Amino acid sequence: MLKRLTIIHLNSMEKPANHNSSLATLTSLFFMWGFITCMNDILIPHLKELFQLTYVKAMLVQFCFFGAYFTGSVIYFIISYYKTDPINKIGYKNGILLGLFISALGCLLFYPAAALSLYGLFLAAFFILGLGFTVLQIAANPYVSLLGSEETASSRLNLVQAFNSFGTTIAPVIGGYFIFEFFAKDGNLSPDSTKLPYLVFAGLFLLLALFIYKAKLPKFSTEETEQRGLGALKFPQLKLGIFGIFFYVGAEVAIGSFMISFLGQEQIGGFTEAVAKNYLALYWGGAMIGRFLGAVALNNALSASKKAGYMVGIAVVIFLLIFSIVNLSFQQISTFIIFIVLNLIAFFVGRSAAARTLVIFALINVILLLTAVFNTGSVAMWALLSIGLFNSVMWSNIFTLSISGLGKYTSQGSSLLVMAILGGALIPLIQGGIADLFGVQVSLILPLVCYLYIAYFGYFCSKQITGTVEVGRGSVGH
């Protein structure tokens, strides 16, 4: 049997302090990169129509963006292996600043891409933006876990991830309005509709960098000894978990990328892009609901009755928040309540055990995808939209289970898992090819296969890993 997760201890150079202001600053960062990541889902149908692209060519957006995660992670891993850990050398704060500057550069490239109307330059902008987000992932996620005690690390990670999901929830509504309506010339699509929004994003990244530069953030150092070789790969849960992350990110991104096209199908909803963007917000909003619920579900200090009360209350509040954001009537989104209740039930059945919850959520998504593929109209539509609810804690659970028992190889295993974000680049591209040949609805078979693997991974861990790993414990977030 494998040992339980070993946490690597890091020591602050300063005395223990209240880091709430630092956490608030980083929360705004998570919100920003969630917002802009979800903008990809808005731009894909926009660029597809603008440049008359096939689905495969349109999915090059996600290929370049998430491919940058893989490229950046490999470069980082090589430097760490032969030299030293770059972030540990320059500091978490400087690492975050570097990520913000690269991200701002990527946003600025959208201006010449739109001015010259060059799809290749758009893809280059997505790639550089993805590189910036890679640096932010490596630096910001572990930094959040250090801003307080180990016992509350998982709560902080789930909290900032929930605000990341808030960004992905409002992006389709706000970003979609600017791209499809406000900056569209006389109702017609134009490359110019991306100019001002991404200039604003670049400015916000630079302002956030200035704010973080001026902020007095705590410094941390690590006593972890570097491990040469690939010893982490001797652990079966890590090897299987690498594919788990690959398939999870791939499935989540692919479904979000095709959502507007799926809802626009005549046999599904026949919605225009301006209307479909509001429903896309429900897909990402579901992930936000699930992450807030996960933050409560892992709190073992609460009694079962209090936990249930808090979770129901949070679900109601966040649903009303989403309702206030989207430009849809209560009648149009009331069906979503049924799936929120199903999500609550699934959490209670999972009893906060990472492996068990992962199996349950993955199998529910398999059923939802089967429903979306073999039905039409509102049944298929709501089945696909509700998948976000059950994607919510998958990253946390897969990551935690994968590094459980790695001990001195935990850091190395973590970097390998971040490389697996490559799934977000390849799965949508493959699904685009299937969609070109057989249609968008049939192409959903691919993410279905991804969730089947995730269910298998959860089952393997439930049998092989001793003890219960709390939902979200030790994750670095996605």
Side-chain angles (χ1 to χ4, degrees), residues 18-29:
N18 187 315
H19 299 313
N20 289 340
S21 60
S22 300
L23 185 62
T25 300
L26 292 176
T27 298
S28 64
L29 173 61

Side-chain angles (χ1 to χ4, degrees), residues 121-442:
L121 196 52
F122 273 110
L123 296 179
F126 281 114
F127 183 81
I128 293 175
L129 185 59
L131 284 178
F133 283 8
T134 302
V135 177
L136 290 174
Q137 284 272 16
I138 294 171
N141 281 301
Y143 191 61
V144 169
S145 69
L146 298 175
L147 292 174
S149 67
E150 288 183 33
E151 289 73 20
T152 58
S154 56
S155 294
R156 290 192 300 278
L157 288 164
N158 275 277
L159 179 63
V160 295
Q161 283 298 307
F163 279 95
N164 177 273
S165 293
F166 180 55
T168 62
T169 301
I170 67 173
V173 179
I174 298 176
Y177 170 72
F178 283 120
I179 299 297
F180 296 131
E181 300 176 52
F182 190 82
F183 290 111
K185 293 183 176 180
D186 300 321
N188 297 317
L189 293 177
S190 167
D192 292 340
S193 61
T194 61
K195 281 184 178 179
L196 189 56
Y198 277 86
L199 281 179
V200 172
F201 295 153
L204 289 174
F205 275 128
L206 293 175
L207 283 174
L208 189 56
L210 178 62
F211 182 76
I212 290 176
Y213 175 75
K214 295 290 186 181
K216 293 183 178 180
L217 299 179
K219 297 179 180 179
F220 298 94
S221 62
T222 177
E223 297 176 354
E224 178 188 3
T225 56
E226 294 186 22
Q227 298 298 324
R228 290 194 171 274
L230 289 174
L233 290 178
K234 68 183 180 182
F235 297 93
Q237 74 273 29
L238 177 68
K239 288 187 287 188
L240 294 175
I242 290 172
F243 288 102
I245 291 290
F246 178 91
F247 287 125
Y248 158 68
V249 176
E252 181 185 55
V253 172
I255 292 171
S257 300
F258 279 91
M259 185 65 73
I260 291 179
S261 297
F262 178 80
L263 297 177
Q265 303 284 303
E266 288 301 324
Q267 73 273 21
I268 304 299
F271 299 128
T272 63
E273 292 170 339
V275 174
K277 65 179 174 55
N278 292 288
Y279 285 98
L280 176 62
L282 292 180
Y283 172 70
W284 293 110
M288 177 172 63
I289 292 174
R291 283 172 175 170
F292 273 113
L293 295 181
V296 176
L298 62 86
N299 191 338
N300 293 323
L302 296 173
S303 65
S305 58
K306 284 186 177 181
K307 189 179 292 187
Y310 286 143
M311 291 177 72
V312 171
I314 288 172
V316 171
V317 170
I318 299 179
F319 172 78
L320 293 176
L321 174 63
I322 295 172
F323 173 62
S324 68
I325 293 172
V326 298
N327 187 25
L328 298 169
S329 69
F330 182 81
Q331 183 178 1
Q332 286 176 301
I333 68 170
S334 57
T335 304
F336 198 55
I337 297 174
I338 297 172
F339 294 94
I340 294 175
V341 173
L342 178 61
N343 187 247
L344 282 165
I345 294 171
F347 265 115
F348 291 126
V349 174
R351 296 198 298 275
S352 299
R356 185 188 300 115
T357 303
L358 188 61
V359 172
I360 294 170
F361 278 32
L363 290 178
I364 289 176
N365 276 354
V366 168
I367 294 171
L368 291 173
L369 279 166
L370 284 171
T371 304
V373 171
F374 294 105
N375 288 274
T376 57
S378 60
V379 173
M381 179 183 80
W382 285 110
L384 197 66
L385 286 171
S386 300
I387 288 175
L389 284 162
F390 303 95
N391 279 339
S392 55
V393 296
M394 282 191 179
W395 170 277
S396 300
N397 291 13
I398 296 171
F399 206 100
T400 299
L401 292 166
S402 298
I403 63 175
S404 177
L406 265 63
K408 62 185 179 181
Y409 296 106
T410 300
S411 181
Q412 186 182 88
S414 297
S415 64
L416 292 171
L417 289 169
V418 172
M419 290 182 196
I421 293 177
L422 179 66
L426 298 182
I427 297 297
L429 194 66
I430 297 171
Q431 187 171 338
I434 298 173
D436 284 329
L437 292 174
F438 305 105
V440 173
Q441 197 166 6
V442 174

